[in-house]
Amino acid sequence: MVAKLTGRQASQVSLEICTQIRVIPVLSVTEIEDASPLAEALIEGGLNVFEVTLRTPKAFGVIKEMSKVKGSIVGVGTLRCRQDVEMAIEVGAKFGVSPGVTDDLVLACEEFGLPLIGGVSSVSEIMKMLSRGYTFLKFFPAEVSGGVTALNAISGPLPDALFFPTGGVSVRNAKEYLALKNVVCVGGSWIAKPKMIREKNWIEISRQANLASMLG
Ligand code: 3PG
């Protein structure tokens, strides 16, 4: 039996997860064998909430393996359609992230009970999601959508909207985002870049995770 979620409940659940941590690695993983050591390296560095993108063919298998690592909380990124949502539930993703929102995607997440952090980059998109009960949103692509300046301006008229900015966020600017009252956490690929994962550079990934864990 699937437990449906309203927009408000979806944001409550995803906020509970994301307020535990201030930086979420955005991961693109090609090989399933890399899933567990990657999760372990990130946890060792102090980060345990991950967004695994659907940009690689084996991403769902990777999510399944990462979810087995003790202490990890794995979300699925790049959600685009109902089928993605069904698969995300099947492999045990705890939350879903999308670069933008469509009615179909939002409804599928509500039907399948996957807490959605929907992607927005304009005031109208934010208002539409707020009207559906979603108060926690991904601000994407953050830097080219106005970054810290835009989020600060949005906090005036829409103080109830909270954000997870990604896209151009890095160790250089993360602190500025995290200082905003409407930013819960930031995300980015800098902590474990695809090349670092391909090279199985777990030591460097742990080091980057540790540096990131101290940003907030
Ligand atoms: C995302 O999917 O959220 C972004 O592609 C991550 O952006 P970054 O590569 O600029 O960190």
Side-chain angles (χ1 to χ4, degrees):
M1 165 95 179
V2 178
K4 292 187 180 187
L5 279 180
T6 63
R8 192 163 300 280
Q9 289 167 332
S11 285
Q12 260 167 18
V13 176
S14 49
L15 269 172
E16 267 164 36
I17 294 171
C18 296
T19 43
Q20 294 175 33
I21 198 134
R22 301 222 72 200
V23 181
I24 298 183
V26 177
L27 308 166
S28 294
V29 189
T30 314
E31 300 304 328
I32 290 180
E33 65 174 27
D34 292 337
S36 300
L38 173 60
E40 281 158 10
L42 291 164
I43 291 171
E44 165 103 15
L47 302 180
N48 73 320
V49 181
F50 318 129
E51 176 188 332
V52 177
T53 69
L54 297 183
R55 290 179 210 162
T56 60
K58 297 178 189 163
F60 287 115
V62 168
I63 292 168
K64 196 170 181 176
E65 287 308 302
M66 288 187 94
S67 300
K68 291 180 191 163
V69 175
K70 196 165 177 270
S72 69
I73 301 177
V74 189
V76 55
T78 340
L79 281 176
R80 291 174 58 166
C81 61
R82 177 170 290 264
Q83 203 187 359
D84 293 343
V85 177
E86 287 187 49
M87 284 299 294
I89 290 288
E90 205 171 303
V91 296
K94 294 288 182 290
F95 62 98
V97 187
S98 60
V101 279
T102 65
D103 284 341
D104 275 355
L105 180 64
V106 173
L107 286 175
C109 287
E110 290 174 358
E111 269 173 43
F112 285 95
L114 183 68
L116 173 68
I117 308 172
V120 292
S121 62
S122 74
V123 172
S124 296
E125 288 166 356
I126 298 165
M127 287 175 66
K128 279 186 198 152
M129 287 303 275
L130 285 174
S131 73
R132 301 177 86 141
Y134 290 84
T135 52
F136 183 40
L137 301 161
K138 164 158 164 155
F139 187 62
F140 177 82
E143 275 293 279
V144 297
S145 305
V148 167
T149 312
L151 285 169
N152 202 22
I154 289 164
S155 73
L158 303 174
D160 45 340
L162 300 173
F163 296 98
F164 164 40
T166 78
V169 181
S170 73
V171 71
R172 285 174 293 104
N173 57 13
K175 269 194 167 186
E176 292 166 39
Y177 281 95
L178 291 169
L180 297 176
K181 58 179 183 290
N182 56 351
V183 168
V184 173
C185 55
V186 296
S189 59
W190 88 88
I191 302 145
K193 291 186 186 144
K195 182 170 183 282
M196 289 151 74
I197 299 170
R198 274 198 310 275
E199 290 172 354
K200 304 187 194 303
N201 196 345
W202 313 131
I203 291 174
E204 179 59 13
I205 288 172
S206 270
R207 196 179 76 85
Q208 290 295 335
N210 189 246
L211 291 174
S213 74
M214 292 187 287
L215 286 171

